[in-house]
Amino acid sequence: MKIMVIDTALGACAVGVFEGEAGDALLQPQPRHLGLRVELMTKGHQERLGGLARDAAAEAGGFDGMARIGVTVGPGSFTGLRVGLAFALGLGAALDRPVVGISTLDALAASVPSEGLVAAVIDARRGQVYARLFRDGVALGEAEALSLEAARDRIQAETGDARPVLVGSGAEVLAEAFPELASAALHPLPAPAPEALAALALAADPTTAPPQPLYLRAPDATPPSRLPGQPRQPAA
């Protein structure tokens, strides 16, 4: 099966075309990449995404035979998520192909060896991380927005004396805040590996993995208090 994956949720703008077998990501061989473009960035995804998708598809022989499109749905940057989702949905409509949503945390966890406890953690600022824990590739709960202390406690409760794996932009944040986590295996990836995205997209069921944003926290931005042209209200 030939698929395209798109990721603009975190610190990269990535588009890859892969070929692989549908089914459990843990049981199938790693997908083979046919075309791949990745640029590290935290802003500007909208300007680069179309060109990267064009180039990745051209390297893979065009859009012919594309069976599905996978796109990261979060948690991550509000703006980045919307850019990737809008592009993926538009491309899916143009090609008449299904679009599946991929959890950013699941993809981060799938980017490292799955043995033992893996904590996928994204720096959410304001003393929080977005987190999901996995053991031997199986999720132990839902994705959550946790305080740094709560994330540490959750990880320690699941690992005991074992050495956990921390992956994502929150890995070093936790290790710096808590010396007891400094011995963890740290993988501070800025974004998931495209191969991991492809494996999860191949394994996804379009009926249960909709391309809808996963927001774990309300946006920092607030609506304007007045419309354009309206006078400011005097201070009370």
Side-chain angles (χ1 to χ4, degrees):
M1 180 188 292
K2 181 180 177 182
I3 66 168
M4 173 176 278
V5 290
I6 297 167
D7 175 35
T8 57
L10 297 172
C13 188
V15 184
V17 180
F18 289 82
E19 188 174 58
E21 297 295 326
D24 192 324
L26 294 177
L27 302 178
Q28 298 297 330
Q30 184 164 306
R32 180 171 66 94
H33 93 261
L34 306 176
L36 182 61
R37 295 292 186 275
V38 180
E39 292 185 10
L40 297 182
M41 61 178 68
T42 56
K43 295 180 180 179
H45 299 85
Q46 183 171 355
E47 289 76 12
R48 295 295 299 135
L49 179 55
L52 296 183
R54 175 200 61 210
D55 294 345
E59 184 182 347
F63 290 98
D64 290 345
M66 201 78 70
R68 81 172 43 161
I69 298 165
V71 60
T72 44
V73 297
S77 159
F78 284 89
T79 301
L81 288 178
R82 297 179 73 86
V83 168
L85 280 164
F87 187 88
L89 288 169
L91 185 59
L95 298 176
D96 192 24
R97 294 294 182 266
V99 181
V100 295
I102 306 165
S103 160
T104 317
L105 291 168
D106 290 14
L108 282 169
S111 300
V112 297
S114 60
E115 295 82 6
L117 185 86
V118 175
V121 283
I122 298 169
D123 183 8
R125 313 291 183 181
R126 298 190 297 184
Q128 288 187 317
V129 291
Y130 301 131
R132 195 176 194 191
L133 272 57
F134 301 78
R135 187 180 300 283
D136 299 328
V138 178
L140 299 179
E142 297 300 321
E144 298 180 86
L146 300 174
S147 69
L148 300 185
E149 292 78 8
R152 174 202 59 191
D153 294 346
R154 187 76 55 82
I155 293 167
Q156 288 185 321
E158 291 291 345
T159 54
D161 295 330
R163 187 184 185 212
V165 174
L166 308 185
V167 57
S169 60
E172 289 184 336
V173 174
L174 286 170
E176 290 173 2
F178 305 111
E180 57 269 35
L181 292 179
S183 63
L186 304 181
H187 298 272
L189 303 182
E195 294 79 7
L197 294 171
L200 292 176
L202 285 164
D205 180 347
T207 64
T208 59
Q212 298 174 350
L214 173 61
Y215 296 141
L216 299 181
R217 194 172 71 188
D220 295 331
T222 57
S225 58
R226 60 190 178 91
L227 297 174
Q230 277 188 331
R232 296 181 183 274
Q233 297 296 320

